[in-house]
């Protein structure tokens, strides 16, 4: 019986050793698969991040261009409005041109009076008797700011 017990013990030992080796081999294979999947997932995420960063950059450039275009359009619109009273085309508005423009403007809008429209002196910041585009743009910006304040 002792021989039988020793054989049974050694057999169990050999069998359990084989089972442990098989489990370790399976574990190593599973671990390798997991690591491979992890690295593949990380690589894919890095690619997606790079693509998204490129898309964000493209959108930022498009937004910047749209803002620049909007600014240019606003300046052009202001310049076109500035040129309306400039009858002689010298890029300066004289007092006579200004007064004629105000008179025509007020005749088109009978609900307005002269006090509703800024005076020539309000536009002629340097006092040279003419209004340049820069002076016009500055005064219109001030007028717009005052209108915004009055709304609040």
């Amino acid at each position: 019986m002792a021989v039988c017990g020793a054989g049974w013990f050694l057999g169990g030992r050999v069998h359990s050793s084989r089972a442990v080796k098989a489990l370790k081999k399976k574990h190593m294979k599973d671990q390798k698969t997991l690591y491979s999947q992890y690295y593949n997932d990380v690589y894919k995420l890095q690619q997606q991040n790079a693509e998204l960063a490129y898309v964000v950059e493209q959108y930022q450039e498009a937004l910047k261009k749209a803002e620049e275009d909007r600014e240019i359009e606003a300046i052009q619109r202001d310049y076109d409005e500035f040129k309306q009273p400039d009858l002689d085309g010298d890029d300066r508005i004289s007092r006579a041109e200004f007064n004629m423009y105000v008179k025509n403007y007020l005749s088109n809008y009978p609900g307005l009076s002269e006090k509703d429209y800024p005076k020539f002196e309000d536009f002629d910041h340097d006092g040279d008797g003419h209004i340049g585009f820069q002076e016009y743009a500055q005064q219109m910006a001030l007028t717009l700011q005052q209108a915004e304040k009055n709304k609040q």
Side-chain angles (χ1 to χ4, degrees), residues 13-27:
R13 194 80 166 127
V14 169
H15 180 66
S16 69
S17 176
R18 285 183 188 162
V20 166
K21 283 182 185 178
L23 286 174
K24 279 186 178 181
K25 186 177 178 181
K26 183 180 183 306
H27 173 71

Side-chain angles (χ1 to χ4, degrees), residues 69-79 133:
D69 290 348
R70 185 187 56 79
E71 266 185 50
I72 289 171
E73 288 174 8
I75 290 171
Q76 184 62 46
R77 190 173 43 252
D78 288 348
Y79 185 73
F133 178 68

Side-chain angles (χ1 to χ4, degrees), residues 27-77:
H27 173 71
M28 292 301 283
K29 183 180 176 187
D30 290 346
Q31 187 178 21
K32 185 177 178 181
T33 303
L34 278 172
Y35 281 143
S36 295
Q37 183 65 42
Y38 170 77
Y39 287 120
N40 287 337
D41 290 347
V42 167
Y43 179 74
K44 287 178 185 175
L45 287 172
Q46 287 173 337
Q47 281 183 322
Q48 287 176 348
N49 283 346
E51 290 171 4
L52 290 174
Y54 177 74
V55 168
V56 166
E57 183 180 318
Q58 293 298 315
Y59 279 131
Q60 287 174 337
E61 288 176 11
L63 179 62
K64 184 178 177 183
K65 182 167 177 13
E67 288 173 351
E68 288 172 357
D69 290 348
R70 185 187 56 79
E71 266 185 50
I72 289 171
E73 288 174 8
I75 290 171
Q76 184 62 46
R77 190 173 43 252

